[in-house]
């Protein structure tokens, strides 16, 4: 049978699959006419497809008339070697797959056994199964289904014993769990590692597609089905090439050279990986197939047409979740995927490993090889690498934005032509939005980027604010400005992340974002706009509470909570909306911890229930894991306010357990490093409260190493320096509890140097910053008293009392300030 005939069969098979089972017969009668043999061949493929559950091999092709009519052999309960078959898993076009268990009393293990279908035991197909067995025997990789054993049946037919995998196809797994873009990329990177491993063993998989890649319940990728894998150093004859073409039957994932019937190479697998990434991130395939074409015919017709950008496909798709994330695909991810889908093999990535590395660079905010090297992109690359030239480059970029703003503003004033002003405004929005988003993303969690963030705020905020009056009735422009203000606030003083220590400036930026989002939500109360409004209420509330302004913070978080209840009240509420609702409960519980503990714990426990459910659904999602660390830390804080130290310690231990794996997985992420450091120091603090300094030291020294690293790579970051001083304080307390006052003094003197080098604490600073000078002097006073240095002890203790007294009326830290004041006065009395 000629290759053209096989293409015809495959075209019809693909087209028939797109129709319901009831419509297929009429469809085949219409398109095949009197070609009875053609109808029989396509129906044979359809029968094989319908009978397959596809564990190891998806539907394969068999030549019409190759197999004689047979009665399926009942293998249930029979033994093959050391294994007993218990059930059938699926039937492919060439093989049956059975579930079996080891049955030799050595140990229990579930496996999958692959056998040729009865009637297909021809020499060529028997050899193919032997080849597959040999290929798998040479592969040992955690992301490849493992060959465990093999043998021959009593009739001499070979069989394979494979690792039994409970999982779902990778595309189904991602959609059902609503995985984030980053989580999907992580799965693809694992898959690329497996494919690269295959290539290193001089093999090509040849049929990479969603159905051949399972993800287990534990989030582990498993590559399956090496039934058409090819040894690169083995010549293949024409008949073998024809079989490969027939078996693949996946035109949507096939490379152009496969469609042309040419030999497949590692570049063919890279192309298929590109299609898979496109599907996972955009929710669609790269090409819109004309309605009049189908299968291989359609693929061939589209061979010279460039694919749609993934971001465009996602934005124009029917699924809302992909439309919401379309913006995240613009730029690097578009470029990476398009490079993998290049028509010519030489224009693609040179290896699956190279593709994985570019994806990793994108995740870390580094420049990617696939991206065109434009001016703005070069700016971002310099920011990421934070070389000496970065500051000059960023200033140039800011000046460029600022100049464009000024030019557009003057043109508006001078011309009074509304249409022209609107055109300028549109250009400003595009430039400002692109600049802010790209540079902010590059510098967000990059260690050592404080100077870049400072320049970003100082040189851009005044120009952005000038645009606010020009927003007029444009909701989209107000949304963009609100986003910018929100990010400025994060950079200025988000106390949970890296910031410039400008807490009051952050409050003002958050207020501007909130005002704009209130205007938008009033005119457009969509779920997306309400979610953004909730986020603004929440950010401002958290920062005001950290400033001890609970009288304003609590109403704001209650307003956020009301929006959250509205968002989750419907059955179609998304995981992101449930997470926002939990965030409002988390913040409310924290705010109330010092004034209404029962209500605080009730809110925190409600948030915990939601976050635990979301984490169970996406255990591989770093954001979900961070949420679990945060909720346990907040519960620990509330219990600590009630002096339930043992219970607080257990909560903080759980917080640390959740965040530690992220440090190992994302060692270059400054935000994760900072969060893990404070999770560890919280554990140490409560071990100190329970007078267990040895256990405390283990955690506090771990935290110290982390904050010192962050300070070393970002020496101009005053907040990083104060974080080191904060951890040194707890380290000094542990040594004081151990009676090692001299060692404590060394660490506490260093803490005081860092505190004194920072600007004086302001009433608008967060609570920990306002408390730090007093606490440091108090502990220094204790150390000197223990060492019998009464004059030094009195100096430091007197300084601490002076510092604490204005804070004793504070709604959040007043109780702590009073406790330290009382202890300091008692020590002073003992010295006199």
């Amino acid at each position: 049978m000629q290759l053209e005939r096989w293409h015809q069969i495959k075209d019809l098979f693909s087209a028939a699959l797109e129709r319901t089972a009831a419509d297929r017969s009429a469809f085949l009668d219409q398109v095949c006419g009197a070609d009875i043999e053609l109808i029989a061949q396509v129906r044979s493929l359809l029968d094989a497809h319908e009978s397959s559950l596809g564990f190891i091999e998806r539907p394969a092709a068999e030549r019409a008339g190759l197999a004689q009519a047979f009665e399926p052999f009942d293998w249930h309960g029979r033994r093959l070697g050391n294994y007993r078959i218990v059930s059938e898993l699926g039937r492919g076009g060439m093989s049956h797959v059975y579930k079996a268990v080891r049955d030799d009393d050595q140990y229990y293990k579930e496996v999958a056994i692959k056998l040729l279908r009865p009637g297909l035991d021809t020499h060529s197909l028997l050899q193919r199964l032997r080849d597959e067995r040999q290929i798998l025997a040479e592969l040992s990789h955690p992301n490849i289904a493992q060959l465990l054993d093999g043998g021959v049946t009593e009739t001499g037919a070979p069989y394979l014993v494979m690792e039994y995998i409970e999982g779902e196809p990778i595309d189904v797994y991602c959609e059902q769990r609503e995985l984030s873009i980053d989580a999907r990329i992580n799965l693809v990177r694992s898959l690329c590692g497996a494919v690269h491993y295959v290539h290193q063993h001089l093999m090509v998989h040849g049929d990479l597609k969603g159905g051949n890649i399972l993800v287990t319940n534990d989030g582990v990728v498993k590559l399956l089905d090496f039934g058409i894998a090819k040894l690169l150093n083995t010549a293949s004859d024409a008949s073998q090439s024809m079989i490969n073409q027939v078996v693949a039957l996946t035109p949507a994932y096939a490379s152009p050279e496969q469609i042309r019937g040419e030999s497949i190479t590692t570049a063919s697998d890279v192309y298929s990986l590109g299609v898979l990434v496109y599907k996972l991130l955009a929710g669609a395939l790269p090409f819109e197939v004309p309605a009049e074409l189908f299968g291989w015919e359609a693929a061939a017709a589209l061979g010279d047409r460039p694919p749609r950008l993934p971001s465009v496909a996602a934005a124009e798709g029917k699924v809302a979740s992909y439309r919401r994330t379309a913006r995240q695909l613009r730029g690097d991810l578009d470029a990476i995927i398009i490079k993998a889908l290049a028509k010519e093999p030489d224009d693609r990535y040179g290896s699956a490993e190279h593709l994985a590395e570019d994806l990793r660079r994108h995740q870390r905010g580094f420049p990617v090889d696939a991206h065109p090297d434009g001016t703005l992109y070069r700016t971002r690359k310099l920011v990421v690498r934070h070389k000496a030239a970065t500051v000059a480059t960023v200033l140039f970029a800011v000046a460029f934005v600022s100049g464009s703003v000024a030019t557009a503003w003057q043109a508006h004033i001078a011309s009074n032509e509304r249409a022209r002003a609107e055109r300028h405004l549109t250009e400003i929005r595009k430039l400002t939005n692109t600049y802010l988003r790209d540079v902010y993303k590059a510098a967000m969690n990059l260690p050592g980027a404080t100077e870049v963030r400072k320049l970003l705020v100082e040189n851009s905020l005044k120009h952005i604010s000038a645009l606010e009056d020009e927003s007029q009735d444009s909701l989209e422009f107000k949304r963009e400005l609100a986003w910018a203000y929100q990010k400025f606030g994060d950079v200025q003083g988000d106390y949970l992340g890296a910031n410039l220590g400008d807490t009051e400036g952050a409050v003002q930026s958050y207020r501007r974002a909130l005002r704009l989002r209130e205007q938008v939500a009033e005119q457009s109360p969509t779920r997306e706009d309400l979610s953004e409004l909730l986020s603004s209420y929440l950010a401002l509330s958290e920062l005001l509470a950290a400033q001890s302004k609970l009288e304003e913070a609590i109403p704001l978080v209650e307003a956020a909570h009301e929006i959250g209840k509205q968002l989750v009240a419907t059955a179609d509420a998304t995981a992101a909306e449930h997470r926002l609702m939990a965030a409002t409960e988390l913040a409310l519980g924290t705010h109330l911890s010092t004034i209404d503990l029962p209500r605080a714990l009730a809110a925190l426990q409600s948030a915990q229930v939601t976050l635990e459910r979301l984490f169970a659904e996406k255990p591989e999602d770093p954001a979900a894991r961070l949420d679990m660390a945060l909720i346990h830390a907040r519960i620990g804080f509330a219990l600590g306010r009630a002096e339930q130290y043992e219970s607080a310690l257990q909560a903080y231990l759980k917080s640390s357990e959740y965040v530690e794996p992220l440090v190992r997985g994302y060692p270059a992420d400054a935000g994760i490093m900072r969060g893990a450091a404070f999770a560890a120091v919280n554990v140490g603090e409560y071990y100190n409260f329970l007078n267990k300094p040895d256990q405390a030291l283990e955690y506090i020294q771990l935290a110290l190493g982390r904050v010192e690293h962050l300070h070393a790579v970002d020496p101009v970051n005053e907040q990083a320096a104060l974080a080191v001083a904060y951890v040194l304080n707890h380290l000094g307390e542990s040594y004081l509890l151990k009676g090692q006052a001299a060692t404590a003094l060394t660490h506490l003197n260093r803490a005081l140097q860092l505190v004194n080098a920072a600007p004086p604490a302001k009433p608008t600073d967060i609570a920990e910053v306002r408390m730090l000078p007093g606490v440091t002097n108090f502990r220094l006073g204790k150390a000197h008293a223990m060492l019998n240095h009464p004059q030094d002890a009195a100096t430091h203790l007197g300084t601490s009392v002076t510092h604490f007294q204005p804070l004793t009326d504070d709604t959040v830290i007043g109780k702590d300030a009073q406790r330290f004041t009382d202890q300091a006065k008692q020590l002073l009395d003992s010295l006199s």
Side-chain angles (χ1 to χ4, degrees):
M1 184 175 293
Q2 299 300 314
L3 185 61
E4 291 78 5
R5 180 67 163 181
W6 284 116
H7 281 316
Q8 184 182 17
I9 294 169
K10 287 179 287 187
D11 286 344
L12 292 173
F13 171 72
S14 299
L17 282 181
E18 297 175 1
R19 289 160 172 78
T20 65
D23 294 337
R24 288 172 186 167
S25 181
F27 168 74
L28 291 177
D29 288 341
Q30 178 182 354
V31 296
C32 295
D35 194 338
I36 298 175
E37 181 183 0
L38 179 60
I39 294 176
Q41 290 165 340
V42 176
R43 283 179 175 165
S44 177
L45 287 177
L46 291 170
D47 290 343
H49 175 84
E50 290 299 325
S51 65
S52 173
L53 297 179
F55 175 70
I56 298 294
E57 178 182 341
R58 306 302 170 226
E62 62 183 74
R63 252 195 254 197
L66 184 63
Q68 303 299 319
F70 63 90
E71 290 295 328
F73 189 83
D74 185 9
W75 283 96
H76 186 271
R78 296 178 64 90
R79 286 174 59 94
L80 287 176
N82 294 325
Y83 302 93
R84 176 172 50 84
I85 293 177
V86 295
S87 64
E88 183 175 325
L89 289 173
R91 302 182 186 186
M94 193 177 79
S95 63
H96 285 187
V97 181
Y98 299 91
K99 182 178 180 181
V101 296
R102 191 174 177 97
D103 195 28
D104 60 357
D105 298 326
Q106 295 298 312
Y107 55 87
Y108 180 86
K109 185 176 184 65
E110 294 180 332
V111 300
I113 294 181
K114 180 176 181 178
L115 285 158
L116 276 179
R117 284 179 55 183
L120 292 182
D121 49 352
T122 64
H123 173 76
S124 61
L125 293 177
L126 286 171
Q127 186 58 47
R128 287 187 54 74
L129 192 63
R130 294 188 189 101
D131 289 345
E132 182 178 2
R133 183 172 65 189
Q134 184 58 43
I135 286 172
L136 289 169
E138 296 178 22
L139 302 177
S140 178
H141 190 280
N143 299 117
I144 295 177
Q146 184 180 1
L147 176 69
L148 302 175
D149 202 350
V152 293
T153 67
E154 56 193 29
T155 63
Y159 64 86
L160 310 181
V161 181
M162 305 287 298
E163 172 187 5
Y164 175 64
I165 301 167
E166 279 197 70
E168 298 169 308
I170 189 170
D171 48 350
V172 175
Y173 181 90
C174 291
E175 289 205 356
Q176 288 187 348
R177 289 162 178 76
E178 296 182 352
L179 294 192
S180 66
I181 296 292
D182 259 5
R184 295 177 190 226
I185 291 175
N186 287 337
L187 292 176
V188 171
R189 285 174 53 200
S190 295
L191 173 63
C192 286
V195 174
H196 183 64
Y197 175 85
V198 172
H199 293 171
Q200 286 179 314
H201 284 71
L202 301 180
M203 303 173 193
V204 178
H205 186 279
D207 195 20
L208 294 172
K209 56 185 177 182
N212 282 344
I213 302 138
L214 298 186
V215 183
T216 70
N217 293 332
D218 296 328
V220 178
V221 173
K222 292 287 186 178
L223 177 58
L224 310 173
D225 196 354
F226 284 77
I228 66 167
K230 174 187 174 184
L231 295 174
L232 292 176
N233 58 355
T234 302
S236 59
D237 58 26
S239 63
Q240 182 69 20
S241 176
M242 184 184 298
I243 292 173
N244 284 348
Q245 290 287 340
V246 173
V247 173
L249 283 178
T250 319
Y253 287 82
S255 64
E257 60 269 23
Q258 284 176 286
I259 292 170
R260 293 191 297 266
E262 300 168 1
S263 296
I264 61 173
T265 66
T266 57
S268 305
D269 277 351
V270 170
Y271 183 93
S272 299
L273 285 170
V275 178
L276 181 66
V277 181
Y278 194 115
K279 178 72 161 55
L280 294 181
L281 301 189
L285 291 168
F287 297 100
E288 292 181 324
V289 180
E292 67 273 13
L293 299 179
F294 48 82
W296 288 86
E297 181 184 358
L302 294 171
D304 295 328
R305 185 181 302 180
R308 294 177 294 166
L309 289 176
S311 59
V312 173
E316 296 176 352
K318 297 180 180 179
V319 181
S321 60
Y322 290 104
R323 292 199 301 271
R324 285 195 294 270
T325 58
R327 181 177 292 176
Q328 298 178 45
L329 307 185
R330 296 175 190 167
D332 284 354
L333 288 175
D334 272 343
I336 288 170
I337 296 170
I338 294 302
K339 181 176 177 66
L341 293 175
K343 300 298 181 183
E344 295 301 322
D346 289 344
D347 294 333
R348 300 171 201 152
Y349 286 99
S351 67
E353 183 182 45
H354 190 184
L355 169 59
E357 174 61 18
D358 237 13
L359 289 169
R360 185 187 70 85
R361 292 173 69 83
H362 162 73
Q363 288 179 301
R364 296 180 62 190
F366 284 88
V368 300
D369 290 345
H371 201 290
D373 196 22
T375 301
L376 179 59
Y377 196 64
R378 286 198 301 271
T379 299
R380 181 181 173 192
K381 285 196 289 187
L382 289 175
V383 170
V384 172
R385 291 174 178 171
H386 52 91
K387 292 182 179 179
T390 298
V391 173
T393 306
V394 171
L395 283 172
F396 171 77
V398 173
F400 182 53
V401 174
S402 304
S404 299
V405 172
T407 301
W409 179 263
Q410 292 166 2
H412 171 65
I413 296 296
S415 66
N416 260 336
E417 296 176 3
R418 182 177 179 83
R420 185 178 179 185
E422 287 178 351
R423 286 195 300 272
H424 280 294
L425 202 57
T426 299
E427 292 304 313
I428 294 167
R429 283 178 51 204
K430 289 180 180 178
L431 183 57
T432 303
N433 182 48
T434 300
Y435 169 71
L436 288 176
R437 289 185 187 275
D438 281 358
V439 177
Y440 177 82
K441 180 180 178 182
M444 181 172 57
N445 278 321
L446 183 68
T450 294
E451 190 64 28
V452 174
R453 290 190 293 267
K454 185 176 181 180
L455 288 167
L456 177 66
V457 171
E458 291 179 351
N459 290 280
S460 301
L461 186 57
K462 58 185 178 182
H463 298 292
I464 299 300
S465 61
L467 297 176
E468 191 170 342
D469 292 338
E470 282 299 291
S471 62
Q472 299 176 359
D473 294 326
S474 171
L475 293 181
E476 186 60 29
F477 192 28
K478 288 181 179 179
R479 291 186 185 104
E480 298 290 353
L481 285 175
W483 181 91
Y485 280 131
Q486 191 77 21
K487 294 308 174 188
F488 284 142
D490 292 345
V491 173
Q492 289 169 296
D494 174 14
Y495 77 103
L496 293 177
N499 66 82
L500 303 178
D502 183 9
T503 312
E504 194 55 32
V507 167
Q508 296 307 314
S509 292
Y510 284 155
R511 289 190 192 281
R512 284 176 163 177
L514 176 59
R515 181 173 62 250
L516 287 164
R517 285 174 172 168
E518 284 177 332
Q519 295 172 11
V520 170
E522 184 176 353
Q523 299 178 57
S524 172
T526 65
R527 301 180 76 93
E528 290 79 6
D529 289 322
L530 289 175
S531 294
E532 295 295 332
L533 177 58
L534 184 156
S535 297
S536 275
Y537 277 130
L538 199 56
L540 181 57
S541 172
E542 291 260 35
L543 196 51
L544 289 171
Q547 293 180 311
S548 299
K549 298 178 180 179
L550 292 181
E551 70 284 353
E552 185 178 0
I554 290 176
L556 286 170
V557 77
E558 287 175 336
H561 190 243
E562 289 302 313
I563 295 174
K565 288 193 290 187
Q566 180 180 342
L567 291 174
V568 302
T570 58
D572 62 343
T574 65
E577 289 166 345
H578 281 285
R579 185 185 181 211
L580 281 174
M581 176 61 172
T584 67
E585 293 173 327
L586 186 148
L588 181 60
T590 306
H591 298 354
L592 295 172
S593 294
T594 55
I595 58 177
D596 189 346
L597 185 62
R599 188 181 169 199
L601 289 175
L604 290 171
Q605 287 162 0
S606 179
Q608 183 180 0
V609 170
T610 299
L611 295 177
E612 284 180 342
R613 175 175 58 81
L614 295 176
F615 178 71
E617 293 172 357
K618 296 183 180 181
E620 73 294 330
D621 185 356
R625 182 171 286 275
L626 281 174
D627 284 341
M628 291 303 298
L630 184 58
I631 184 60
H632 284 293
R634 296 297 180 90
I635 291 172
F637 174 80
L639 294 170
R641 297 296 89 189
E643 299 183 6
Q644 298 178 25
Y645 296 146
E646 182 61 49
S647 297
L649 173 62
Q650 295 307 312
Y652 280 128
L653 281 167
K654 288 182 180 178
S655 175
S656 184
E657 288 170 5
Y658 275 107
V659 79
E660 281 301 317
L662 292 176
V663 180
R664 296 188 292 272
Y666 300 87
D669 190 305
I672 289 175
M673 182 74 73
R674 186 180 305 103
F678 281 102
V681 80
N682 286 335
V683 172
E685 179 183 14
Y686 277 82
Y687 270 128
N688 280 341
F689 277 138
L690 295 168
N691 200 24
K692 297 179 179 180
D694 289 324
Q695 292 94 321
L697 282 172
E698 176 185 352
Y699 285 89
I700 296 171
Q701 287 168 341
L702 175 64
L704 182 61
R706 289 168 176 171
V707 294
E708 284 183 326
H709 168 74
L710 292 173
H711 180 42
V713 299
D714 203 359
V716 300
N717 185 351
E718 294 164 359
Q719 300 305 301
L722 292 178
V724 174
Y726 178 80
V727 177
L728 285 169
N729 258 276
H730 290 291
L731 189 63
E733 178 68 11
S734 294
Y735 283 113
L736 289 173
L737 290 171
K738 287 171 66 69
Q740 299 177 16
T743 303
L745 195 62
T746 300
H747 297 300
L748 293 168
N749 275 328
R750 185 179 167 217
L752 186 63
Q753 290 175 354
L754 292 168
V755 169
N756 289 339
K762 304 184 295 295
T764 55
D765 285 336
I766 64 173
E768 289 81 0
V769 172
R770 285 178 281 134
M771 285 285 288
L772 192 55
V775 171
T776 306
N777 277 286
F778 169 73
R779 287 182 173 136
L780 277 167
K782 282 178 65 176
H784 282 293
M786 290 174 66
L787 292 169
N788 198 24
H789 303 158
Q791 185 173 351
D792 289 333
T795 299
H796 286 294
L797 290 170
T799 301
S800 73
V801 169
T802 301
H803 184 83
F804 282 131
Q805 281 181 334
L807 301 178
T808 54
D809 293 331
D810 189 284
T811 55
V812 173
I813 56 176
K815 187 176 180 180
D816 291 332
Q818 187 63 60
R819 173 167 55 85
F820 279 114
T821 299
D822 294 342
Q823 291 178 15
K825 287 180 177 179
Q826 288 173 9
L827 272 175
L828 281 170
D829 290 342
S830 69
L831 294 174
S832 59

